[in-house]
Structure formats: structure tokens, C-alpha cells
Amino acid sequence: MIKAKIQSYVALSYFLIAASLGILLRLFPILDINVNYKFMVHTHSHVALLGWVYMGLTTLIFYLFINEAAKKKYTTLFVCTQITIVGMLISFPITGYALFSIIFSTLFLICSYWFYVFFRKNNNLNKDSYALKFINASLLFMIVSSIGPWALGIIMNTLGSTSHWYKNAIYFYLHFQYNGWFIFCLLGLFFHFLEKNNSIISKKKITVFFRLMVFSCIFTLALSFLWIEPPVTIYILATLGVITQTFSLIQFYAIIKDQKTILKNKISRFFFKLCIFIFVLFCLKIIMQTITAIPYFAILSYQIKDFVIGYLHLVFLGIISLSVFFFLHQNKLITIPKKWILIYLTGFILSEILIFYKGFCNWQQLSIINNYYTILVLISALMPIGVLGLFIANIKPTFATLKEPV
């Protein structure tokens, strides 16, 4: 049986690779690097989303929600999934989107469907559990997101990669990954944490919150299509999405407020502050999405790449990655030494400021500071350094245990 701790280390190793590739990409404006930039972007994004986040979340689902008897059957699925991820890690830098990378990507999608079936058959959650509702919804959104990659092949063979439909298929996939699969899974883990600690949650509040989140996830898909100046119906759906999402945030805050005492008692002071920071980032995410419901800013966000990169990194490196760190630590699957997470946070916060600063300068047609790209690389390097520190801090005790005489 593949233990959850080993799965956690595997996920962390993918994050280290993805973060290191991110630094490589930021070196391109400074150095003459003899690799294909576009191919490396594909590698970076696939390892980050499908290696680090997918493995981190499925590890937590496996550890917390799968029956002990069924865990022995998981090894085959785990190994098959690793083959597809490593296959993408090798093939994307060499060929980009081509035969082998498409084969491995397709096989990964099949493994993700397999995981959903495995979860449905073998989960140990009570049917009335709201953790189950959120986790199940997250996995359904994961499956829905895969419509995007399936559609890409058809679009490339018919309309070509320059078509609006090509980019919209990618945005469809990213939307339901970020706002569906990732966010709903993290919320499911949060509510499981509360349920495990015998927290009393208002059934009315959580029911309303769940429904608002589902509707907002579906409606805010329209935000991804505003850049092509679509029919007025899409603008109406986008507006409904941001309104619904705002109400869901208010409802979520009300739930958190009710649970403040339990959270303070069950979480260390440092990680409680980290959770507050994650919530602030979640609020920022919703504010940014709300702004892009305005047509001018929707087009602007498409034209200025730094705003898109800054937003995606805010959600991925901030909300999602920090939450995965927290839940892995809280369930004793990895340890998080404070110094390494602070190094990671410093790199994340400062790099976000620099990325949005450059986007603002492009928008207002201002000159950026001298040596901007060098400064960005040096600051961004703090993130893989932080992840490497976390990785070593967790691997060292494991090897020490292995070396101990029986």
C-alpha cells in the first residue's frame, strides 16, 4: 500500500520541480536559454496543476475519506497516475503539444475519472456530511473541466490554434479547475476539519453557502469569455456570477465567524494567522473577478498578460498552495517549519507586487524600474528555496528512520 506520507512527499517534489521551472521561465528575458519557451510553459503549468495540486488534494482525500480496506487497492491507480505525470514532465519540454504529451495528458484524464469512481465507491463519509457534498462537487467539477482538453483536439483540427474557441477551451478548463475542483475540495477539507472537531454549524447557513458557491462557479464561467466581447447574455451571466459569489463570500465569513473559537483552539497561532491571510487572498480573488465583469477591465485583463499571470499566481501560489500546505501539516502528513514557509511567503508576496506593478506600468504606459527582470528572478527564487527547505525538512527524518537498525 502506498502510504499517504509518501504521496505527500511525491506531491511536494512536483511543486519543487514546478517552482524551479518557474524560475527558468523568468530567466528568459535576462539570459539566452537554448530551450523552447512555449514548451517549458506547458511543462511548468502541467506539473504545477497535475503534479503538485492534484496529488496534494487526492492524497488528502485518500488519507481522510477512503476506507482502510480500500486503501490497499489504491496502489495501481497511484502508480498509473505517476506514469502519466512523469510522461508529461519528459515529453512537454521536448515536443510541446504533440503525440506523446497528448497521450500522457489523455491517460491522466482517464486516471482522474478512475479516482472519482474509486472515491464514490470507497469513501467513509456520512451521507449528510457537508464535507462529502463539497468533495463530491469538487470531483464533479474536475470532470467537467476535462471537457476543455477534449475540445482542444477537435478545435485544433478544425478551427486552428488561433481561433477564439481554442483559448476559450483553455479558459473553460482553468476556470473549473481553479474555481471548481480546487476551491470546492479545500472547502470540503475545511468542513471536515470542523466536523471532526464536533463543531456545530448552522445547517441553514452551510446549505445556502453550498448552493451559492455552486451557482457562482457555474455563472462566473462567463467571465472567461468577456474578452471576445460576446453577446449581452454572457455579460448578464457574468454579472449574476459575481453577485452570487459576493453573497457566498458573506455567507462564508458568517460561518467562519461562528467557528472562530474552535479554530483558535485547534490551530496554532502561526497557522491561524496563515488561515486569515488565505482568507484575505480569497477576498482579493473575488474582488478581481468582480472587476473583470466590467467590459473595459475584461478586455484590459486579456491585453495585459501580467494581470492574468498575477491573478493565476495569487490563486495558485497563495490560496491553493498555502491551503494544501496547511491541511497536509494539520493532518501530520508533512511538517511545516516556520522559517521555510516564511521564505516562501516573502517570495510570493514580493513577486506578486512586482508582477502587478509591471502590469500597471503597461496599462498606464509608464517605464518600469531598471533591472526589473533580475530583481523578479531573485525575489521569485525565494519560493523554490522555501519549497526545497520544506522538502528536505520532511525527507531527512524519513531517511533517518530507514537507516535505523531493526
Side-chain angles (χ1 to χ4, degrees):
M1 181 176 74
I2 300 292
K3 292 184 178 180
K5 275 202 171 190
I6 295 171
Q7 294 178 48
S8 304
Y9 300 158
V10 170
L12 205 54
S13 68
Y14 286 132
F15 194 15
L16 181 58
I17 293 167
S20 302
L21 289 173
I23 298 302
L24 177 66
L25 292 170
R26 287 185 176 170
L27 282 169
F28 268 79
I30 305 169
L31 304 173
D32 183 21
I33 302 171
N34 190 27
V35 293
N36 187 300
Y37 179 81
K38 193 175 180 182
F39 292 178
M40 294 312 298
V41 169
H42 292 322
T43 311
H44 169 67
S45 59
H46 280 76
V47 174
L49 295 179
L50 310 182
W52 160 234
V53 181
Y54 178 87
M55 284 309 306
L57 293 179
T58 53
T59 296
L60 286 160
I61 291 171
F62 165 84
Y63 180 68
L64 295 171
F65 307 132
I66 300 299
N67 294 318
E68 285 301 320
K71 285 181 178 178
K72 294 175 183 177
K73 305 172 189 174
Y74 185 67
T75 304
T76 304
L77 172 53
F78 176 81
V79 171
C80 289
T81 305
Q82 301 321 300
I83 290 168
T84 65
I85 297 170
V86 172
M88 286 184 277
L89 177 59
I90 295 168
S91 58
F92 270 116
I94 300 168
T95 64
Y97 270 109
L99 178 63
F100 288 107
S101 59
I102 290 169
I103 288 171
F104 285 119
S105 301
T106 304
L107 290 173
F108 176 85
L109 292 179
I110 293 167
C111 286
S112 69
Y113 301 158
W114 184 2
F115 182 84
Y116 176 67
V117 173
F118 182 79
F119 170 78
R120 289 290 294 176
K121 284 184 177 179
N122 301 297
N123 75 81
N124 57 17
L125 285 162
N126 187 299
K127 288 183 180 179
D128 296 325
S129 164
Y130 270 90
L132 174 61
K133 286 180 171 61
F134 276 96
I135 296 292
N136 191 58
S138 77
L139 292 169
L140 286 172
F141 280 129
M142 177 187 72
I143 291 167
V144 169
S145 75
S146 68
I147 294 170
W150 289 119
L152 275 179
I154 299 167
I155 293 165
M156 286 180 74
N157 290 324
T158 53
L159 302 172
S161 59
T162 56
S163 163
H164 285 168
W165 287 102
Y166 177 84
K167 287 181 179 176
N168 282 337
I170 294 171
Y171 294 155
F172 180 96
Y173 170 74
L174 289 175
H175 173 79
F176 283 113
Q177 284 276 304
Y178 275 69
N179 300 294
W181 158 220
F182 297 160
I183 295 295
F184 272 75
C185 187
L186 293 173
L187 288 169
L189 293 167
F190 173 71
F191 287 115
H192 171 74
F193 171 77
L194 293 178
E195 289 171 358
K196 188 174 71 173
N197 288 290
N198 301 314
S199 175
I200 299 169
I201 308 170
S202 166
K203 191 174 181 181
K204 184 181 178 182
K205 283 182 182 178
I206 198 168
T207 301
V208 171
F209 174 60
F210 177 75
R211 289 172 182 171
L212 285 170
M213 282 296 294
V214 170
F215 284 124
S216 70
C217 184
I218 294 167
F219 290 148
T220 52
L221 171 65
L223 291 171
S224 304
F225 305 145
L226 296 184
W227 68 280
I228 58 171
E229 299 181 58
V232 69
T233 310
I234 303 297
Y235 284 103
I236 292 168
L237 288 172
T239 304
L240 279 172
V242 296
I243 291 169
T244 313
Q245 190 169 240
T246 303
F247 280 114
S248 70
L249 177 63
I250 294 167
Q251 195 70 4
F252 187 43
Y253 177 73
I255 293 169
I256 293 171
K257 198 175 177 183
D258 291 343
Q259 307 302 322
K260 189 176 178 181
T261 305
I262 286 179
L263 292 171
K264 273 192 167 183
N265 291 336
K266 296 295 179 179
I267 302 171
S268 70
R269 189 179 175 190
F270 174 76
F271 282 98
F272 183 75
K273 287 181 178 179
L274 184 66
C275 289
I276 292 171
F277 179 66
I278 293 167
F279 182 74
V280 170
L281 293 178
F282 187 61
C283 295
L284 279 174
K285 166 191 177 293
I286 290 175
I287 290 167
M288 288 180 190
Q289 285 183 295
T290 303
I291 290 170
T292 57
I294 302 166
Y296 171 79
F297 289 106
I299 295 166
L300 183 73
S301 66
Y302 172 72
Q303 291 172 340
I304 300 178
K305 196 193 299 183
D306 293 291
F307 286 154
V308 177
I309 293 170
Y311 169 79
L312 290 175
H313 282 186
L314 180 137
V315 179
F316 177 81
L317 295 170
I319 299 168
I320 296 164
S321 294
L322 289 174
S323 297
V324 173
F325 280 148
F326 168 75
F327 285 117
L328 288 172
H329 173 80
Q330 202 65 25
N331 289 287
K332 295 181 172 56
L333 293 176
I334 63 172
T335 57
I336 307 280
K338 193 188 291 186
K339 65 178 179 181
W340 296 117
I341 201 72
L342 286 174
I343 289 171
Y344 173 88
L345 279 168
T346 304
F348 163 68
I349 294 167
L350 294 178
S351 64
E352 282 293 288
I353 291 168
L354 282 175
I355 291 167
F356 280 109
Y357 157 77
K358 182 169 173 283
F360 179 81
C361 288
N362 289 342
W363 176 27
Q364 297 297 315
Q365 297 183 329
L366 302 171
S367 299
I368 59 172
I369 58 173
N370 293 331
N371 301 314
Y372 168 84
Y373 292 105
T374 303
I375 295 167
L376 181 61
V377 167
L378 292 172
I379 284 170
S380 300
L382 293 173
M383 286 184 282
I385 289 169
V387 177
L388 177 62
L390 291 174
F391 185 76
I392 293 170
N394 282 278
I395 289 295
K396 276 177 75 176
T398 304
F399 279 114
T401 305
L402 291 173
K403 287 178 183 178
E404 285 177 5
V406 180

